Amino acid sequence: MLRRVTTMPTMRRLSSQPVAQRSKPVAPAWLQSLTREQSAAPTLYAWTPHNIPGHERSGPAETNSSLSSSPGSSDRIYILGIGNLGRLYATALAERVEAHVTLVFHRKSMLEQWMANPGIEITRHGTKKKTSAFDVEWWTEEKPDVGPVREICDGRHVPNLIVTTKAPDALPQTDRLRRYLDARSTVAFVQNGMSKLWPPYGAEYSGSRFPPSQHPNWILCVTTHGVTSLGPFRSIHASPADVSMGPVLLNPGIEAKSEYLMDQIVKAPHLAAKRHPPSTLWVLQLEKLVVNSIINPLTALLRCKNGLLFSNPGGNAEKVMELLLSEASQVLQALVNDDSSYEIVSAMNSSTETGDVDRTRQTLLERFSTQQLRAMLRHVGEKVKDNTSSMLQDVTSGKQTEVREFNGWLVDTAGYLGIDATNHKTVCELVEAGLILEESHLNEYFPAASQS
């Protein structure tokens, strides 16, 4: 049964000193599921069109790099996940002359489909452009029985990897590749939701899955572009925006290896990418999380475009958004005050004096207030009012949603902090139940909305 709203606890007192010690929280489910598996990472083989029966003797497919850049060379960029964002990044990077891009498919059928009609088509400002100058591979434990047999990257390390899979798959798919990842590798994650590699669990994951001082350089790309699928390998760049990019956790022994990939992303046309320090990225991703945890699930439940949520002032949708905003604000403000965030908060100033850290925290508490988050939500809502949210696209096509990466992250973090996030928990349950609601029925599941 769905839980009803309970009274929210009082916020902790602002202080630069660590809060009172709690018992160590149980590791989140995602970390438990990954670290539970102690066997060696699998050997993976790179299938190309030459490994498909009937094509093993054919000439080379159109490519931008096969003859000029070997699989493990430092200038090769692999893109894992060829959905909307994968297509956006791939086509943008392909316009960089020096960028050698390999698309990595997750199914053999995608490799076959590409062979029948190679290319990614992006529609931007009403103009279609098709780009086929990519190498393509399927990475699998299955050894090909025709054509050349080789491990991915010829058995060496993956130099540059952009992971654009759905958020629930991003870290498990990356973990599967750890045989081919080391301190010379740079991995950029391009997902909605909060990165799992932020403190306190990023270092714990890296330390448990890689030899000492051998974890990759972990990079984050907070992407605000609106991209909608038009079918396999076809998307419309509906709402051009920008990318905020930077490191989440670098390998201190070989940080410079991360520069090439970040430089290519910054220079790629159409992405409008800018580099930021980790503390700035952390704040930006928290703000984007709030927007995604409200617009995405509510449009999925109401089966509506983004703008409809804001079209009925004082209506049930607006009241539920206010509940979710207030709850998210409490979680983020408590996180700012928690000792697990002390290092990030203190890094926002050149000085770590107590007074400076206190002032930084106060600034963040104001930035994460319900009032400020409300203004941000309405600003973003106006910009994307004509768009269909990614979660609505997922539920209408029967795909797994990212509700656990948005609202679920807030619920898990609230549990870690010892506070409540009942309304966000309800959102997770409703979306996962596949319900379709009318706005007039929202208060049946969010009773506090009828009291506001």
Side-chain angles (χ1 to χ4, degrees):
M1 178 178 294
L2 295 173
R3 294 171 57 195
R4 294 186 177 273
V5 178
T6 57
T7 304
M8 298 294 177
T10 304
M11 282 291 302
R12 291 192 180 97
R13 177 178 61 87
L14 175 65
S15 170
S16 61
Q17 300 301 317
V19 298
Q21 292 293 316
R22 300 185 302 271
S23 59
K24 183 178 180 180
V26 176
W30 67 266
L31 184 57
Q32 292 186 53
S33 66
L34 290 176
T35 56
R36 188 182 300 121
E37 177 56 61
Q38 294 298 316
S39 59
T43 298
L44 298 174
Y45 298 94
W47 287 50
T48 71
H50 302 292
N51 298 119
I52 302 299
H55 297 269
E56 63 270 24
R57 293 184 178 86
S58 63
E62 184 178 356
T63 172
N64 72 333
S65 52
S66 288
L67 300 179
S68 60
S69 174
S70 67
S73 64
S74 61
D75 62 351
R76 181 167 290 277
I77 300 172
Y78 292 87
I79 298 181
L80 178 63
I82 316 300
N84 286 318
L85 291 180
R87 298 166 199 168
L88 175 67
Y89 276 75
T91 53
L93 287 166
E95 294 191 32
R96 296 281 300 154
V97 174
E98 67 269 37
H100 308 299
V101 180
T102 297
L103 309 180
V104 181
F105 301 140
H106 66 281
R107 293 194 308 269
K108 181 180 180 181
S109 60
M110 294 184 68
L111 187 59
E112 295 170 332
Q113 188 173 27
W114 179 273
M115 293 165 60
N117 185 17
I120 295 175
E121 180 185 285
I122 294 287
T123 300
R124 185 179 291 111
H125 304 304
T127 301
K128 296 179 181 179
K129 182 176 182 180
K130 190 169 185 177
T131 306
S132 54
F134 302 104
D135 294 316
V136 292
E137 296 181 353
W138 171 46
W139 291 355
T140 175
E141 296 177 45
E142 179 183 350
K143 185 182 295 187
D145 51 15
V146 298
V149 177
R150 66 176 180 85
E151 288 187 55
I152 67 174
C153 293
D154 291 332
R156 302 194 296 273
H157 74 283
V158 176
N160 306 288
L161 178 67
I162 302 177
V163 183
T164 65
T165 64
K166 285 290 187 179
D169 300 324
L171 202 53
Q173 288 294 323
T174 304
D175 187 78
R176 177 171 171 261
L177 303 177
R178 65 188 185 279
R179 176 188 291 269
Y180 306 97
L181 298 175
D182 60 23
R184 297 166 294 175
S185 304
T186 300
V187 181
F189 291 97
V190 184
Q191 279 78 36
N192 290 319
M194 281 296 289
S195 171
K196 292 180 172 65
L197 296 171
W198 289 119
Y201 294 116
E204 183 175 346
Y205 165 76
S206 296
S208 67
R209 302 304 274 173
F210 295 91
S213 303
Q214 286 300 304
H215 72 76
N217 291 291
W218 303 119
I219 304 300
L220 173 65
C221 296
V222 180
T223 306
T224 57
H225 293 274
V227 189
T228 303
S229 178
L230 296 175
F233 305 127
R234 297 174 60 233
S235 294
I236 179 170
H237 192 177
S239 301
D242 56 31
V243 174
S244 297
M245 179 195 61
V248 172
L249 185 64
L250 296 179
N251 190 309
I254 195 164
E255 291 181 10
K257 288 293 182 181
S258 65
E259 293 300 315
Y260 174 78
L261 182 57
M262 288 195 286
D263 184 60
Q264 293 301 307
I265 293 174
V266 165
K267 292 179 179 178
H270 312 301
L271 294 182
K274 296 181 179 179
R275 292 182 58 171
H276 298 279
S279 56
T280 301
L281 277 178
W282 183 68
V283 172
L284 290 173
Q285 198 171 35
L286 286 171
E287 290 180 330
K288 188 168 187 280
L289 175 80
V290 173
V291 173
N292 284 333
S293 69
I294 294 173
I295 290 179
N296 275 265
L298 289 183
T299 55
L301 292 172
L302 297 174
R303 296 298 199 269
C304 67
K305 289 200 171 184
N306 298 340
L308 195 62
L309 296 178
F310 304 89
S311 64
N312 183 20
N316 284 345
E318 183 178 84
K319 291 178 180 178
V320 171
M321 286 194 289
E322 192 68 18
L323 287 179
L324 297 174
L325 275 172
S326 177
E327 203 166 78
S329 173
Q330 290 202 4
V331 173
L332 299 195
Q333 288 183 329
L335 182 62
V336 167
N337 272 342
D338 192 74
D339 56 349
S340 65
S341 303
Y342 184 84
E343 183 175 346
I344 292 178
V345 173
S346 62
M348 294 181 183
N349 282 304
S350 57
S351 170
T352 57
E353 294 293 327
T354 298
D356 291 327
V357 175
D358 275 347
R359 282 190 290 273
T360 300
R361 276 181 160 164
Q362 185 61 51
T363 298
L364 289 174
L365 291 176
E366 293 171 359
R367 186 164 180 168
F368 294 146
S369 67
T370 301
Q371 180 181 3
Q372 292 297 321
L373 293 178
R374 183 190 303 116
M376 178 194 67
L377 177 66
R378 292 189 178 281
H379 175 72
V380 175
E382 177 61 26
K383 290 176 62 176
V384 300
K385 63 182 179 181
D386 296 324
N387 293 358
T388 300
S389 74
S390 60
M391 195 173 296
L392 176 53
Q393 294 179 56
D394 288 339
V395 296
T396 54
S397 59
K399 297 179 181 178
Q400 180 186 11
T401 74
E402 295 174 325
V403 70
R404 289 289 169 183
E405 306 300 317
F406 302 153
N407 308 79
W409 184 90
L410 287 167
V411 172
D412 290 344
T413 303
Y416 174 87
L417 296 166
I419 60 178
D420 187 33
T422 299
N423 292 300
H424 284 278
K425 183 175 186 294
T426 297
V427 165
C428 291
E429 294 170 347
L430 293 175
V431 171
E432 291 178 337
L435 294 187
I436 303 175
L437 303 178
E438 297 289 337
E439 182 182 359
S440 59
H441 294 162
L442 281 174
N443 58 2
E444 297 176 17
Y445 300 95
F446 302 93
S450 61
Q451 302 168 13
S452 59

Short mmCIF file of all heavy atoms in Angstrom, two decimals, residues 14-60:
data_model
loop_
_atom_site.label_atom_id
_atom_site.label_comp_id
_atom_site.label_asym_id
_atom_site.label_seq_id
_atom_site.Cartn_x
_atom_site.Cartn_y
_atom_site.Cartn_z
N LEU A 14 22.90 24.71 10.77
CA LEU A 14 24.05 24.99 9.89
C LEU A 14 25.32 25.06 10.72
O LEU A 14 25.39 25.77 11.72
CB LEU A 14 23.84 26.33 9.17
CG LEU A 14 24.99 26.81 8.32
CD1 LEU A 14 25.21 25.85 7.15
CD2 LEU A 14 24.73 28.22 7.82
N SER A 15 26.33 24.32 10.28
CA SER A 15 27.60 24.32 10.99
C SER A 15 28.68 23.82 10.06
O SER A 15 28.44 22.97 9.21
CB SER A 15 27.54 23.41 12.23
OG SER A 15 28.84 23.24 12.78
N SER A 16 29.88 24.33 10.20
CA SER A 16 30.99 23.83 9.40
C SER A 16 31.58 22.56 10.01
O SER A 16 32.40 21.90 9.40
CB SER A 16 32.10 24.89 9.30
OG SER A 16 32.59 25.18 10.59
N GLN A 17 31.17 22.21 11.20
CA GLN A 17 31.66 21.01 11.85
C GLN A 17 30.83 19.81 11.40
O GLN A 17 29.66 19.94 11.09
CB GLN A 17 31.58 21.16 13.38
CG GLN A 17 32.40 22.31 13.92
CD GLN A 17 33.86 22.18 13.57
OE1 GLN A 17 34.42 21.10 13.66
NE2 GLN A 17 34.48 23.28 13.14
N PRO A 18 31.44 18.62 11.34
CA PRO A 18 30.68 17.44 10.98
C PRO A 18 29.50 17.24 11.93
O PRO A 18 29.57 17.54 13.11
CB PRO A 18 31.71 16.30 11.13
CG PRO A 18 33.04 16.97 10.95
CD PRO A 18 32.87 18.34 11.58
N VAL A 19 28.39 16.72 11.37
CA VAL A 19 27.22 16.47 12.19
C VAL A 19 27.48 15.28 13.09
O VAL A 19 28.44 14.55 12.94
CB VAL A 19 25.99 16.20 11.30
CG1 VAL A 19 25.69 17.41 10.46
CG2 VAL A 19 26.21 14.98 10.42
N ALA A 20 26.58 15.06 14.03
CA ALA A 20 26.72 13.95 14.96
C ALA A 20 26.85 12.63 14.20
O ALA A 20 26.18 12.42 13.18
CB ALA A 20 25.51 13.90 15.89
N GLN A 21 27.72 11.75 14.68
CA GLN A 21 27.97 10.50 13.99
C GLN A 21 26.74 9.61 14.00
O GLN A 21 26.10 9.40 15.02
CB GLN A 21 29.14 9.76 14.67
CG GLN A 21 30.48 10.46 14.49
CD GLN A 21 30.92 10.44 13.04
OE1 GLN A 21 30.82 9.43 12.37
NE2 GLN A 21 31.40 11.58 12.57
N ARG A 22 26.41 9.09 12.79
CA ARG A 22 25.34 8.11 12.68
C ARG A 22 25.98 6.75 12.53
O ARG A 22 27.16 6.62 12.18
CB ARG A 22 24.48 8.38 11.44
CG ARG A 22 23.80 9.71 11.42
CD ARG A 22 22.88 9.80 10.21
NE ARG A 22 23.58 9.62 8.95
CZ ARG A 22 24.12 10.62 8.27
NH1 ARG A 22 24.06 11.85 8.74
NH2 ARG A 22 24.74 10.39 7.13
N SER A 23 25.21 5.70 12.74
CA SER A 23 25.71 4.38 12.42
C SER A 23 25.90 4.31 10.91
O SER A 23 25.17 4.95 10.15
CB SER A 23 24.71 3.30 12.88
OG SER A 23 23.46 3.51 12.26
N LYS A 24 26.88 3.55 10.45
CA LYS A 24 27.18 3.50 9.02
C LYS A 24 25.98 2.97 8.26
O LYS A 24 25.46 1.89 8.58
CB LYS A 24 28.40 2.62 8.78
CG LYS A 24 28.82 2.59 7.32
CD LYS A 24 30.06 1.74 7.13
CE LYS A 24 30.48 1.71 5.67
NZ LYS A 24 31.69 0.89 5.45
N PRO A 25 25.49 3.70 7.26
CA PRO A 25 24.32 3.24 6.53
C PRO A 25 24.65 2.01 5.69
O PRO A 25 25.79 1.78 5.30
CB PRO A 25 23.97 4.43 5.64
CG PRO A 25 25.25 5.17 5.48
CD PRO A 25 26.00 4.98 6.76
N VAL A 26 23.64 1.22 5.43
CA VAL A 26 23.80 0.07 4.56
C VAL A 26 24.12 0.57 3.15
O VAL A 26 23.53 1.54 2.68
CB VAL A 26 22.51 -0.78 4.55
CG1 VAL A 26 22.64 -1.94 3.57
CG2 VAL A 26 22.22 -1.29 5.96
N ALA A 27 25.05 -0.08 2.49
CA ALA A 27 25.42 0.33 1.12
C ALA A 27 24.19 0.26 0.22
O ALA A 27 23.35 -0.62 0.37
CB ALA A 27 26.51 -0.58 0.59
N PRO A 28 24.08 1.20 -0.71
CA PRO A 28 22.91 1.19 -1.61
C PRO A 28 22.87 -0.08 -2.44
O PRO A 28 23.90 -0.74 -2.67
CB PRO A 28 23.12 2.44 -2.48
CG PRO A 28 24.58 2.72 -2.40
CD PRO A 28 25.02 2.28 -1.04
N ALA A 29 21.69 -0.40 -2.94
CA ALA A 29 21.50 -1.66 -3.65
C ALA A 29 22.41 -1.78 -4.87
O ALA A 29 22.94 -2.86 -5.17
CB ALA A 29 20.03 -1.80 -4.07
N TRP A 30 22.63 -0.66 -5.59
CA TRP A 30 23.46 -0.74 -6.80
C TRP A 30 24.88 -1.14 -6.47
O TRP A 30 25.52 -1.92 -7.22
CB TRP A 30 23.44 0.58 -7.57
CG TRP A 30 24.10 1.74 -6.86
CD1 TRP A 30 23.49 2.67 -6.07
CD2 TRP A 30 25.50 2.07 -6.86
NE1 TRP A 30 24.42 3.57 -5.59
CE2 TRP A 30 25.65 3.23 -6.07
CE3 TRP A 30 26.61 1.51 -7.48
CZ2 TRP A 30 26.89 3.82 -5.86
CZ3 TRP A 30 27.86 2.11 -7.27
CH2 TRP A 30 27.99 3.24 -6.47
N LEU A 31 25.41 -0.63 -5.35
CA LEU A 31 26.79 -0.95 -4.97
C LEU A 31 26.88 -2.39 -4.50
O LEU A 31 27.83 -3.11 -4.83
CB LEU A 31 27.27 0.01 -3.89
CG LEU A 31 28.72 -0.14 -3.44
CD1 LEU A 31 29.68 0.01 -4.63
CD2 LEU A 31 29.06 0.90 -2.37
N GLN A 32 25.90 -2.82 -3.74
CA GLN A 32 25.88 -4.21 -3.28
C GLN A 32 25.84 -5.18 -4.46
O GLN A 32 26.54 -6.20 -4.48
CB GLN A 32 24.67 -4.45 -2.38
CG GLN A 32 24.73 -3.72 -1.04
CD GLN A 32 23.57 -4.12 -0.14
OE1 GLN A 32 23.33 -5.30 0.10
NE2 GLN A 32 22.83 -3.12 0.35
N SER A 33 25.02 -4.87 -5.46
CA SER A 33 24.87 -5.79 -6.59
C SER A 33 26.15 -5.90 -7.40
O SER A 33 26.45 -6.97 -7.95
CB SER A 33 23.71 -5.33 -7.48
OG SER A 33 24.00 -4.10 -8.11
N LEU A 34 26.92 -4.80 -7.50
CA LEU A 34 28.16 -4.85 -8.26
C LEU A 34 29.28 -5.52 -7.49
O LEU A 34 30.01 -6.36 -8.03
CB LEU A 34 28.58 -3.43 -8.67
CG LEU A 34 27.72 -2.73 -9.71
CD1 LEU A 34 28.19 -1.30 -9.93
CD2 LEU A 34 27.74 -3.49 -11.04
N THR A 35 29.44 -5.17 -6.23
CA THR A 35 30.57 -5.70 -5.46
C THR A 35 30.34 -7.13 -4.99
O THR A 35 31.28 -7.81 -4.58
CB THR A 35 30.84 -4.80 -4.24
OG1 THR A 35 29.65 -4.68 -3.44
CG2 THR A 35 31.26 -3.40 -4.70
N ARG A 36 29.08 -7.58 -5.07
CA ARG A 36 28.79 -8.97 -4.68
C ARG A 36 29.46 -9.94 -5.64
O ARG A 36 29.86 -11.04 -5.26
CB ARG A 36 27.28 -9.19 -4.66
CG ARG A 36 26.84 -10.53 -4.10
CD ARG A 36 25.33 -10.68 -4.18
NE ARG A 36 24.66 -9.63 -3.43
CZ ARG A 36 23.80 -8.77 -3.97
NH1 ARG A 36 23.50 -8.83 -5.26
NH2 ARG A 36 23.22 -7.87 -3.22
N GLU A 37 29.58 -9.56 -6.90
CA GLU A 37 30.20 -10.41 -7.92
C GLU A 37 31.72 -10.25 -7.86
O GLU A 37 32.26 -9.20 -8.18
CB GLU A 37 29.68 -10.01 -9.30
CG GLU A 37 30.31 -10.77 -10.45
CD GLU A 37 30.15 -12.26 -10.30
OE1 GLU A 37 29.00 -12.75 -10.26
OE2 GLU A 37 31.21 -12.93 -10.19
N GLN A 38 32.41 -11.31 -7.46
CA GLN A 38 33.85 -11.25 -7.26
C GLN A 38 34.64 -11.94 -8.36
O GLN A 38 35.87 -11.96 -8.31
CB GLN A 38 34.20 -11.88 -5.90
CG GLN A 38 33.66 -11.12 -4.70
CD GLN A 38 34.23 -9.70 -4.60
OE1 GLN A 38 35.43 -9.51 -4.76
NE2 GLN A 38 33.36 -8.73 -4.34
N SER A 39 33.98 -12.51 -9.36
CA SER A 39 34.70 -13.19 -10.42
C SER A 39 35.40 -12.18 -11.33
O SER A 39 35.06 -11.00 -11.34
CB SER A 39 33.75 -14.06 -11.25
OG SER A 39 32.72 -13.26 -11.81
N ALA A 40 36.37 -12.66 -12.09
CA ALA A 40 37.11 -11.78 -12.99
C ALA A 40 36.19 -11.24 -14.08
O ALA A 40 35.22 -11.89 -14.48
CB ALA A 40 38.28 -12.54 -13.62
N ALA A 41 36.50 -10.05 -14.55
CA ALA A 41 35.72 -9.46 -15.63
C ALA A 41 35.87 -10.33 -16.89
O ALA A 41 36.92 -10.91 -17.13
CB ALA A 41 36.20 -8.04 -15.91
N PRO A 42 34.82 -10.43 -17.69
CA PRO A 42 34.86 -11.34 -18.85
C PRO A 42 35.77 -10.84 -19.97
O PRO A 42 36.02 -9.64 -20.12
CB PRO A 42 33.40 -11.36 -19.31
CG PRO A 42 32.85 -10.02 -18.90
CD PRO A 42 33.52 -9.72 -17.58
N THR A 43 36.26 -11.80 -20.76
CA THR A 43 36.93 -11.48 -22.01
C THR A 43 35.86 -11.14 -23.04
O THR A 43 34.88 -11.88 -23.20
CB THR A 43 37.77 -12.67 -22.50
OG1 THR A 43 38.77 -12.96 -21.54
CG2 THR A 43 38.43 -12.35 -23.84
N LEU A 44 36.01 -10.02 -23.73
CA LEU A 44 35.01 -9.56 -24.69
C LEU A 44 35.62 -9.48 -26.08
O LEU A 44 36.77 -9.08 -26.24
CB LEU A 44 34.47 -8.19 -24.27
CG LEU A 44 33.76 -8.14 -22.92
CD1 LEU A 44 33.40 -6.69 -22.57
CD2 LEU A 44 32.51 -9.00 -22.92
N TYR A 45 34.81 -9.86 -27.06
CA TYR A 45 35.25 -9.84 -28.45
C TYR A 45 34.54 -8.74 -29.22
O TYR A 45 33.37 -8.45 -28.98
CB TYR A 45 34.99 -11.20 -29.10
CG TYR A 45 35.76 -12.31 -28.44
CD1 TYR A 45 35.17 -13.08 -27.43
CD2 TYR A 45 37.08 -12.57 -28.79
CE1 TYR A 45 35.89 -14.09 -26.79
CE2 TYR A 45 37.80 -13.57 -28.15
CZ TYR A 45 37.20 -14.32 -27.15
OH TYR A 45 37.92 -15.31 -26.52
N ALA A 46 35.27 -8.13 -30.14
CA ALA A 46 34.73 -7.04 -30.95
C ALA A 46 34.28 -7.58 -32.30
O ALA A 46 35.11 -7.91 -33.15
CB ALA A 46 35.78 -5.94 -31.13
N TRP A 47 32.96 -7.70 -32.47
CA TRP A 47 32.41 -8.09 -33.76
C TRP A 47 32.28 -6.85 -34.63
O TRP A 47 31.83 -5.80 -34.18
CB TRP A 47 31.03 -8.72 -33.58
CG TRP A 47 31.01 -10.10 -33.00
CD1 TRP A 47 31.64 -10.52 -31.87
CD2 TRP A 47 30.28 -11.21 -33.51
NE1 TRP A 47 31.35 -11.84 -31.63
CE2 TRP A 47 30.51 -12.30 -32.61
CE3 TRP A 47 29.45 -11.41 -34.61
CZ2 TRP A 47 29.95 -13.55 -32.81
CZ3 TRP A 47 28.88 -12.67 -34.81
CH2 TRP A 47 29.14 -13.73 -33.92
N THR A 48 32.66 -6.99 -35.89
CA THR A 48 32.48 -5.93 -36.88
C THR A 48 31.63 -6.51 -38.02
O THR A 48 31.29 -7.71 -37.99
CB THR A 48 33.84 -5.46 -37.43
OG1 THR A 48 34.38 -6.49 -38.28
CG2 THR A 48 34.81 -5.15 -36.31
N PRO A 49 31.29 -5.72 -39.02
CA PRO A 49 30.53 -6.29 -40.16
C PRO A 49 31.21 -7.51 -40.79
O PRO A 49 30.53 -8.37 -41.35
CB PRO A 49 30.46 -5.12 -41.14
CG PRO A 49 30.43 -3.91 -40.24
CD PRO A 49 31.36 -4.25 -39.12
N HIS A 50 32.53 -7.62 -40.68
CA HIS A 50 33.25 -8.75 -41.26
C HIS A 50 33.02 -10.05 -40.50
O HIS A 50 33.44 -11.12 -40.96
CB HIS A 50 34.74 -8.44 -41.34
CG HIS A 50 35.05 -7.21 -42.13
ND1 HIS A 50 34.86 -7.13 -43.49
CD2 HIS A 50 35.51 -5.99 -41.74
CE1 HIS A 50 35.21 -5.93 -43.92
NE2 HIS A 50 35.59 -5.22 -42.89
N ASN A 51 32.38 -9.98 -39.33
CA ASN A 51 32.07 -11.18 -38.56
C ASN A 51 30.64 -11.66 -38.76
O ASN A 51 30.21 -12.63 -38.14
CB ASN A 51 32.31 -10.94 -37.06
CG ASN A 51 33.75 -10.60 -36.75
OD1 ASN A 51 34.04 -9.52 -36.24
ND2 ASN A 51 34.66 -11.52 -37.04
N ILE A 52 29.90 -10.99 -39.63
CA ILE A 52 28.54 -11.39 -39.94
C ILE A 52 28.57 -12.34 -41.14
O ILE A 52 29.15 -11.99 -42.18
CB ILE A 52 27.66 -10.17 -40.26
CG1 ILE A 52 27.66 -9.19 -39.07
CG2 ILE A 52 26.24 -10.61 -40.59
CD1 ILE A 52 27.13 -9.75 -37.78
N PRO A 53 28.00 -13.53 -41.01
CA PRO A 53 28.03 -14.48 -42.13
C PRO A 53 27.54 -13.85 -43.43
O PRO A 53 26.53 -13.16 -43.47
CB PRO A 53 27.08 -15.59 -41.66
CG PRO A 53 27.17 -15.54 -40.16
CD PRO A 53 27.32 -14.08 -39.83
N GLY A 54 28.30 -14.09 -44.49
CA GLY A 54 27.97 -13.52 -45.78
C GLY A 54 28.69 -12.22 -46.06
O GLY A 54 28.69 -11.74 -47.21
N HIS A 55 29.31 -11.64 -45.04
CA HIS A 55 29.99 -10.35 -45.21
C HIS A 55 31.47 -10.43 -44.84
O HIS A 55 32.17 -9.43 -44.87
CB HIS A 55 29.32 -9.27 -44.34
CG HIS A 55 27.91 -9.00 -44.73
ND1 HIS A 55 27.55 -8.05 -45.65
CD2 HIS A 55 26.75 -9.59 -44.32
CE1 HIS A 55 26.23 -8.05 -45.78
NE2 HIS A 55 25.72 -8.97 -45.00
N GLU A 56 31.94 -11.64 -44.49
CA GLU A 56 33.31 -11.73 -44.00
C GLU A 56 34.35 -11.41 -45.05
O GLU A 56 35.48 -11.07 -44.74
CB GLU A 56 33.56 -13.14 -43.41
CG GLU A 56 33.44 -14.28 -44.41
CD GLU A 56 32.03 -14.83 -44.49
OE1 GLU A 56 31.08 -14.09 -44.15
OE2 GLU A 56 31.88 -15.99 -44.89
N ARG A 57 33.97 -11.51 -46.36
CA ARG A 57 34.94 -11.22 -47.42
C ARG A 57 34.65 -9.89 -48.11
O ARG A 57 35.27 -9.55 -49.11
CB ARG A 57 34.92 -12.35 -48.46
CG ARG A 57 35.44 -13.67 -47.92
CD ARG A 57 35.50 -14.72 -49.03
NE ARG A 57 36.03 -15.98 -48.53
CZ ARG A 57 35.29 -16.90 -47.94
NH1 ARG A 57 33.99 -16.72 -47.80
NH2 ARG A 57 35.84 -18.02 -47.50
N SER A 58 33.68 -9.15 -47.57
CA SER A 58 33.33 -7.88 -48.20
C SER A 58 34.40 -6.84 -47.92
O SER A 58 35.22 -6.98 -47.01
CB SER A 58 31.98 -7.38 -47.68
OG SER A 58 32.05 -7.14 -46.29
N GLY A 59 34.39 -5.78 -48.70
CA GLY A 59 35.35 -4.69 -48.51
C GLY A 59 35.04 -3.93 -47.24
O GLY A 59 34.00 -4.12 -46.62
N PRO A 60 35.93 -3.04 -46.83
CA PRO A 60 35.70 -2.28 -45.59
C PRO A 60 34.50 -1.38 -45.69
O PRO A 60 34.23 -0.78 -46.72
CB PRO A 60 36.99 -1.45 -45.44
CG PRO A 60 37.54 -1.35 -46.83
CD PRO A 60 37.16 -2.61 -47.52
#
